[in-house]
Amino acid sequence: MAAVPKSITRLIDLLKRLPGIGPRSAERLTYHLLRMQKEDVLQLADALIAIKEEVKTCRECYNFADTELCPICSDTSRTHLQIMVVEEPLDVTALEKTMRFKGVYHVLGGVIDPIAGIGTDEIRINELVERIKKARLNDSSGDLEVIIATNPSTEGEMTAVIIRKILRKEFGEELNITRIARGLPVGGDVDYADPITLMRSLEGRTKY
Ligand SMILES: [Zn+2]
């Protein structure tokens, strides 16, 4: 067996852990990096370090941000009376592409998945409850709307149902909760949907 330098096998092993990268792709990427200019590889390494050292989580919506409060939460032209609940930061990116939603987001950081041991305390549901309490204090109009935009997957639906139950118990029937329409293909994730499909499912949302 030909001896492969240790640093090469190390990188291949690390790349293999990434989603969508099998052993063959990991090998190809590694040998591609070996052929690249040193300057470009150093830039890539630097970018990897920067996302872990510089990216913060918005203290309001838990989306990724450069600052303590993300640009969406600090945008005073947006309404804070519409809170769209999504699974991941990538969903925010996808929904922002529709350019239709003018409210704010709440990033759960996952979905409830009993098999994987993820319950209500493992995602940001308590934070959502606290946020709604705060928003209601500032809202004399009673126009607050909570839009549940979790994916149309088994876990996404289950998470939506559980969130609704918790919010109903906490705030009663008068809280306006809506769920985005099922314009999304079954198993089609929010972050993969095209802007037009997403816009339709947003506009076709129903009382939940
Ligand atoms: Zn934010």
Side-chain angles (χ1 to χ4, degrees), residues 101-164:
F101 182 62
K102 294 291 170 223
V104 290
Y105 296 92
H106 183 86
V107 180
L108 291 169
V111 274
I112 292 168
D113 185 354
I115 298 165
I118 301 167
T120 48
D121 288 340
E122 274 70 46
I123 60 173
R124 300 184 190 103
I125 298 179
N126 294 327
E127 289 85 344
L128 176 64
V129 171
E130 290 310 311
R131 223 178 134 187
I132 296 170
K133 277 185 193 164
K134 238 172 73 188
R136 275 162 65 103
L137 285 178
N138 300 321
D139 169 35
S140 49
S141 62
D143 286 340
L144 181 69
E145 180 186 0
V146 179
I147 306 164
I148 303 180
T150 50
N151 288 321
S153 61
T154 313
E155 293 80 16
E157 289 297 348
M158 182 167 58
T159 305
V161 169
I162 292 169
I163 290 176
R164 179 182 54 188

Side-chain angles (χ1 to χ4, degrees), residues 1-17 26-27 30-31 34:
M1 208 176 104
V4 176
K6 240 189 262 165
S7 47
I8 294 181
T9 33
R10 178 173 168 234
L11 182 59
I12 293 172
D13 286 341
L14 287 169
L15 288 171
K16 270 197 299 204
R17 296 188 200 167
E27 250 174 32
T30 302
Y31 283 95
L34 277 163

Side-chain angles (χ1 to χ4, degrees), residues 28-108:
R28 270 195 221 115
L29 279 170
T30 302
Y31 283 95
H32 180 81
L33 287 161
L34 277 163
R35 285 192 304 270
M36 274 168 66
Q37 295 289 328
K38 188 174 180 182
E39 189 60 25
D40 293 336
V41 178
L42 291 178
Q43 264 193 44
L44 179 65
D46 187 52
L48 287 174
I49 294 165
I51 58 164
K52 294 313 282 183
E53 288 187 345
E54 292 167 21
V55 177
K56 298 182 176 74
T57 305
C58 172
R59 65 174 147 86
E60 195 77 16
C61 71
Y62 301 95
N63 191 10
F64 291 137
D66 285 314
T67 44
E68 255 197 60
L69 203 59
C70 79
I72 295 172
C73 289
S74 48
D75 185 345
T76 49
S77 74
R78 301 181 75 120
T79 171
H80 284 239
L81 292 179
Q82 270 189 324
I83 303 174
M84 175 111 69
V85 181
V86 297
E87 293 180 15
E88 301 289 350
L90 262 180
D91 300 329
V92 175
T93 312
L95 285 155
E96 281 299 286
K97 282 186 195 147
T98 68
M99 309 227 284
R100 197 50 68 97
F101 182 62
K102 294 291 170 223
V104 290
Y105 296 92
H106 183 86
V107 180
L108 291 169

